[in-house]
């Protein structure tokens, strides 16, 4: 229950900051260009708090924290006193309206830049870019990469952490490029290694499975700390405290279990199999027979499920973590580059989603966003700021899409008006708003559906 409260609180803070900054962009530019602002609202629905400032603007915090708006004087929405008519939004030249509308996404890009700047100066903790043994028949295995190899650079660009490695590989895979790796093996001199990316599925859920690139992991003892009721392990009689010693699958083939990762790898590849497992329980040994559960994936394949968890010993990852930190001045261009990179990556992912190369299940809704918010906030301020930066870029890019009801749709209308010398007809604008609203509702429905499906699974 406390986790839920924490996630909701972190979500409200994150969304509140993002929306406030976005709407402040509209508000600030509108005021600077002489447009009269009537209301500045964070959230929709019933006002929880309101105040009329000395500037005559009504400031509102509303009950539904999934958006916000800046209401400006507009003759299309009501009567306007003749003295105020020059300050009405609809009376402004198209370039002024474009400036006001684009200021919201611009404010989010600026917010992402500042957040990344702070993060780089404070230092980003992450895993060292050391890879685990590539699975057979993967691109990394075919290229000759081995367990313990450290990826120093991609196409000459330094790779400080595995998280950076992951992001850049996704970006390069979307372009179907091959990448030149600078590799430092565990023993011996550094070398350069080509890694072809063509043929790998670009969906992040499957990309690294095809590549065979995963972070090296310390050995986690195969001692169960929890058995999930209703899952395969519970049905087979496994209990918390059991140490898994060995397994025998179909035909008697098996192995001694030296780590939890070894068992997890076997499980994933053998859904539905009947496996005999030797277990140490207290001072006694026994054998239990388990039918490995099955989890269906979007591509039609299945993964094995066991339904148990293990505790990770304290300090287990200490030798595999690092911190990427930049000076105050060096962090500025790095923050700008990261903002641009994440913007481009978001657009590429959207494009590939339209083509069907990336599953629409990657669309996240407020439930999963709240979970991410709570998780990053629980780690620390730097992680939460990284989350804010990513969300701010996503909000800016989404709002710039040329879809009516979004900022990008309004920018499209005003650009057409500048080109043709007159506004679009009222009917064309109404139809556009209806289409845009339909698309937005469909997107929100998909996001909620994905969230609910993840919770069920």
């Amino acid at each position: 229950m406390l986790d839920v409260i924490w996630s909701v609180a972190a979500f409200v803070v994150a969304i509140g900051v993002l929306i406030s900054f976005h709407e402040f962009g509209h508000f600030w530019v509108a005021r600077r260009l002489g447009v009269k602002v009537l209301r500045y609202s964070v959230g929709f629905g019933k006002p929880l708090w309101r105040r009329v400032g000395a500037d005559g603007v009504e400031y509102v915090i509303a009950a539904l924290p999934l958006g916000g708006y800046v209401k400006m004087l507009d003759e299309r929405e009501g009567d306007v006193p003749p003295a105020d008519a020059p300050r009405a939004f609809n009376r402004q030249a198209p370039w002024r309206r474009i400036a006001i509308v684009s200021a919201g996404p611009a404010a989010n890009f600026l917010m992402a830049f500042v957040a990344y700047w702070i993060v780089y100066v404070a230092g980003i903790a992450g895993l060292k870019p050391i890879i685990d043994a590539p699975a057979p028949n993967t691109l990394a295995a075919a290229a000759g990469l081995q367990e313990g190899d450290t990826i120093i650079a991609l196409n000459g660009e330094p790779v400080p952490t595995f998280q950076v490695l992951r992001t850049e590989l996704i970006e390069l895979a979307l372009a179907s490029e091959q990448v030149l790796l600078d590799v430092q093996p565990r023993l011996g001199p550094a070398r350069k290694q080509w890694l072809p990316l063509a043929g790998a599925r670009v969906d992040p859920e499957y990309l690294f499975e095809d590549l065979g690139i995963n972070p090296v992991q310390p050995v986690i003892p195969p001692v169960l700390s929890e058995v999930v009721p209703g899952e395969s392990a519970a049905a087979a009689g496994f209990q918390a405290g059991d140490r898994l010693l060995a397994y025998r699958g179909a035909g008697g083939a098996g192995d001694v279990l030296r780590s939890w990762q070894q068992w997890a790898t076997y499980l994933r590849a053998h859904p539905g199999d009947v496996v005999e497992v030797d277990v140490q329980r207290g001072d006694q040994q026994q054998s239990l027979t388990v039918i490995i559960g099955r989890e269906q994936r979007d591509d039609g394949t299945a993964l094995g499920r066991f339904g148990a968890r293990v505790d990770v010993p304290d300090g287990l990852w200490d030798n595999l973590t690092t911190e990427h930190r930049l000076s105050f001045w060096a962090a500025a261009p790095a923050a700008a580059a990261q903002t641009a990179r994440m913007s481009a990556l978001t657009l590429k992912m959207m494009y590939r989603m339209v083509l069907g190369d990336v599953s629409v299940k990657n669309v996240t809704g407020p439930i999963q966003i709240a979970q991410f918010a709570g998780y990053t906030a629980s780690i620390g301020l730097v992680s939460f700021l990284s989350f804010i930066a990513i969300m701010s870029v996503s909000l800016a890019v989404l709002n710039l899409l040329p879809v009516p009801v979004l900022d990008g749709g309004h920018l499209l209308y005003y650009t057409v008006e500048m080109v043709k010398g007159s506004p679009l007809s009222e009917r064309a604008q109404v139809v556009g708003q209806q289409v845009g609203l339909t698309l937005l509702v469909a997107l929100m429905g998909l996001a909620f559906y994905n969230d609910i499906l993840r919770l069920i699974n």
Side-chain angles (χ1 to χ4, degrees):
M1 186 62 184
L2 287 177
D3 289 343
V4 173
I5 295 173
W6 179 257
S7 293
V8 170
F11 173 77
V12 170
V13 170
I15 293 298
V17 169
L18 291 170
I19 293 170
S20 298
F21 216 78
H22 180 94
E23 298 304 332
F24 182 76
H26 296 311
F27 173 81
W28 190 84
V29 174
R31 293 281 295 267
R32 292 304 175 275
L33 293 179
V35 176
K36 185 174 183 179
V37 177
L38 303 177
R39 181 181 300 134
Y40 176 102
S41 178
V42 176
F44 296 117
K46 183 179 179 181
L48 301 176
W49 174 89
R50 76 169 79 202
R51 183 179 69 86
V52 177
D55 52 6
V57 178
E58 182 186 21
Y59 297 91
V60 175
I61 296 177
L64 190 61
L66 296 179
Y69 61 94
V70 172
K71 183 177 181 180
M72 290 168 269
L73 191 68
D74 196 312
E75 292 174 310
R76 296 167 298 182
E77 298 180 2
D79 294 333
V80 174
D84 282 341
R87 301 179 64 194
F89 178 77
N90 63 291
R91 290 283 190 100
Q92 308 304 308
W95 72 265
R96 287 175 173 258
R97 282 176 273 152
I98 287 174
I100 293 169
V101 171
S102 61
N108 283 125
F109 283 128
L110 177 60
M111 183 179 186
F113 165 73
V114 172
Y116 278 130
W117 194 347
I118 296 172
V119 164
Y120 283 131
V121 171
I124 309 170
L127 293 174
K128 295 177 181 177
I130 306 173
I131 67 169
D132 206 350
N137 303 318
T138 59
L139 295 175
L145 293 175
Q146 300 177 355
E147 179 183 359
D149 283 350
T150 301
I151 310 301
I152 301 170
L154 294 179
N155 290 341
E157 293 293 323
V159 177
T161 64
F162 193 89
Q163 288 82 341
V164 172
L165 172 67
R166 182 179 175 86
T167 300
E168 293 191 5
L169 283 175
I170 292 173
E171 188 175 358
L172 291 166
L174 288 169
S176 298
E177 298 179 6
Q178 66 173 350
V179 57
L180 181 62
L181 308 177
D182 287 322
V183 181
Q184 176 63 64
R186 185 172 287 168
L187 297 173
R191 70 180 191 275
K192 292 188 180 294
Q193 178 73 59
W194 286 103
L195 177 67
L197 300 181
R201 291 171 289 182
V202 298
D203 192 320
E205 184 178 355
Y206 308 111
L207 172 61
F208 292 90
E209 181 179 317
D210 292 351
L211 292 179
I213 292 181
N214 293 293
V216 70
Q217 300 183 31
V219 173
I220 299 175
V223 179
L224 307 185
S225 62
E226 180 184 357
V227 175
V228 181
E231 295 274 4
S232 300
F238 287 87
Q239 298 177 9
D242 286 352
R243 175 181 284 272
L244 312 186
L245 302 175
Y247 68 91
R248 291 172 295 282
D255 202 354
V256 175
L257 283 171
R258 298 176 179 84
S259 72
W260 173 253
Q261 294 97 318
Q262 180 189 355
W263 177 235
T265 300
Y266 179 82
L267 284 170
R268 287 170 60 86
H270 294 84
D273 281 13
V274 179
V275 182
E276 188 176 358
V277 184
D278 295 335
V279 173
Q280 178 80 40
R281 182 177 295 169
D283 56 359
Q284 308 227 344
Q285 290 188 18
Q286 58 182 291
S287 292
L288 298 174
T289 301
V290 59
I291 302 174
I292 300 175
R294 177 182 297 267
E295 179 180 327
Q296 205 69 23
R297 304 173 77 186
D298 295 339
D299 63 354
T301 62
L303 294 177
R305 288 175 61 93
F306 186 55
R309 299 185 180 92
V310 295
D311 286 333
V312 178
D314 293 339
L316 191 65
W317 294 86
D318 288 353
N319 292 331
L320 295 176
T321 58
T322 185
E323 186 176 69
H324 178 45
R325 187 190 300 269
L326 297 174
S327 70
F328 181 82
W329 297 115
Q338 181 67 2
T339 302
R341 179 180 292 114
M342 293 306 298
S343 301
L345 183 58
T346 302
L347 283 172
K348 289 175 184 176
M349 290 288 286
M350 288 180 178
Y351 175 66
R352 288 303 189 99
M353 206 174 288
V354 171
L355 295 180
D357 296 333
V358 174
S359 172
V360 294
K361 296 205 171 199
N362 287 284
V363 177
T364 58
I367 297 174
Q368 189 172 30
I369 292 173
Q371 291 174 335
F372 284 147
Y375 174 70
T376 56
S378 67
I379 295 175
L381 180 59
V382 171
S383 294
F384 189 57
L385 280 176
S386 297
F387 167 77
I388 290 284
I390 293 172
M391 290 300 300
S392 196
V393 168
S394 300
L395 181 60
V397 171
L398 179 65
N399 266 282
L400 285 174
L401 295 178
V403 177
V405 312
L406 297 177
D407 291 336
H410 294 297
L411 292 174
L412 178 63
Y413 285 162
Y414 303 148
T415 301
V416 170
E417 182 180 343
M418 287 184 70
V419 172
K420 70 189 288 280
S422 61
L424 287 172
S425 67
E426 187 174 336
R427 173 165 177 74
Q429 293 189 46
V430 169
V431 171
Q433 296 284 347
Q434 291 172 341
V435 171
L437 187 60
T438 301
L439 290 172
L440 193 59
V441 169
L443 181 63
M444 292 177 64
L446 175 64
F448 273 107
Y449 171 78
N450 287 344
D451 277 357
I452 293 169
L453 201 62
R454 289 186 190 99
L455 287 176
I456 292 174
N457 289 335

